[in-house]
Amino acid sequence: MRRPYWVSAAAGLPVGLGGGALLILGLRSYETWAYPRSDSWVVYGALIGGGLVGLVAWVATGTEFSGAGWIMGLAFLLHCFCGTILAEQQALHDHGREATVTVLTEHAHRDYDDIGVQTGISYLYDVAVPPGLPHRPLDTAGSRLAPGQRVLATVGLKGQADWQLGGRPNVSHFTASLVRGCELLILVVSTGLGGVGGVMLRERLRSRPRSGGPDRRRAGTATQDATATTDGATDRPGPPGTGTRRPGCLG
């Protein structure tokens, strides 16, 4: 008795849902790890990870459902960018420490885009901080300060992020909504692809030849028919006047 297609699809749904949940957990862990280091980690992780997610979904489900896989890859890409910003805001909001610091030395860096065109200048400052706080540079995000100037800044006590200009930031509701929307999209698409994968796996298993199946039975029947035909031809009497000579008998 053949099982209905919805049974195979239902069996693949939990697999797809679990895969999407693991992907989201991995994204969150990577974003928390990447934001204190550099923007390059975020960019490379988003591009490589999004491409791999789309490619794996395309290989697993074929070209017919490749669009759904690439949509999940784009959701991964957007989540990586927005989730990194959200992770930094959340860390500074929950574990940030405000302090008035004194600007010491300026470090200017020219910024370039991917094709080598200069896009601006960013500034990083060495600062004198109150006792008990970590000595890290101050990132002003393009704002220029004067040596000796005293400014309010915030540093995260958990992680290796630089000092940020200004007080403790609030978490952006817009960014948080984008991240949650990407997570919902990843879960929905991965669950659907899991159901499709269950049906496709069933079809592949059905197309494989089975041992003792119809082909083997037909081959056995043909062998039996050929044997019976040969035996019948051996026992058939010959023309008149000829007899069937048996071994050990004369005439």
Side-chain angles (χ1 to χ4, degrees):
M1 180 178 179
R2 295 181 179 179
R3 291 180 300 175
Y5 280 101
W6 66 266
V7 176
S8 300
L13 293 180
V15 178
L17 181 61
L22 289 176
L23 181 61
I24 291 173
L25 290 177
L27 264 171
R28 292 180 179 179
S29 301
Y30 177 77
E31 290 158 2
T32 304
W33 176 86
Y35 86 82
R37 287 161 174 81
S38 67
D39 295 337
S40 299
W41 283 103
V42 179
V43 174
Y44 294 150
L47 293 177
I48 296 174
L52 286 177
V53 168
L55 183 61
V56 169
W58 172 66
V59 171
T61 58
T63 56
E64 186 176 358
F65 300 96
S66 61
W70 291 115
I71 288 175
M72 191 166 66
L74 291 176
F76 181 98
L77 187 72
L78 183 59
H79 190 294
C80 197
F81 283 116
C82 297
T84 304
I85 297 174
L86 185 64
E88 183 175 12
Q89 291 177 348
Q90 192 71 52
L92 290 177
H93 179 78
D94 295 341
H95 309 289
R97 174 73 180 272
E98 296 180 355
T100 301
V101 299
T102 303
V103 178
L104 298 178
T105 308
E106 178 184 272
H107 303 279
H109 301 277
R110 299 180 185 273
D111 298 327
Y112 298 89
D113 58 15
D114 294 335
I115 60 175
V117 178
Q118 182 177 341
T119 57
I121 299 177
S122 59
Y123 299 95
L124 205 65
Y125 294 89
D126 295 328
V127 293
V129 300
L133 294 180
H135 290 267
R136 297 174 190 153
L138 171 63
D139 184 4
T140 62
S143 300
R144 193 169 188 181
L145 304 176
Q149 185 177 352
R150 294 173 60 83
V151 294
L152 178 65
T154 303
V155 66
L157 298 183
K158 292 188 176 181
Q160 300 296 324
D162 297 332
W163 285 83
Q164 306 293 320
L165 190 62
R168 287 195 308 168
N170 294 320
V171 178
S172 172
H173 295 291
F174 177 73
T175 305
S177 299
L178 281 178
V179 171
R180 300 297 173 261
C182 290
E183 292 179 351
L184 180 60
L185 184 60
I186 289 174
L187 288 177
V188 171
V189 175
S190 63
T191 303
L193 290 178
V196 172
V199 174
M200 295 179 67
L201 179 61
R202 172 190 173 178
E203 292 299 320
R204 290 178 183 175
L205 293 177
R206 286 182 56 189
S207 63
R208 295 174 58 183
R210 301 179 181 177
S211 58
D215 295 338
R216 193 164 183 176
R217 287 199 298 269
R218 283 196 296 268
T221 304
T223 303
Q224 293 175 2
D225 294 342
T227 304
T229 302
T230 304
D231 293 341
T234 304
D235 296 338
R236 188 178 299 131
T242 62
T244 303
R245 180 172 296 180
R246 298 180 181 177
C249 298
L250 298 175

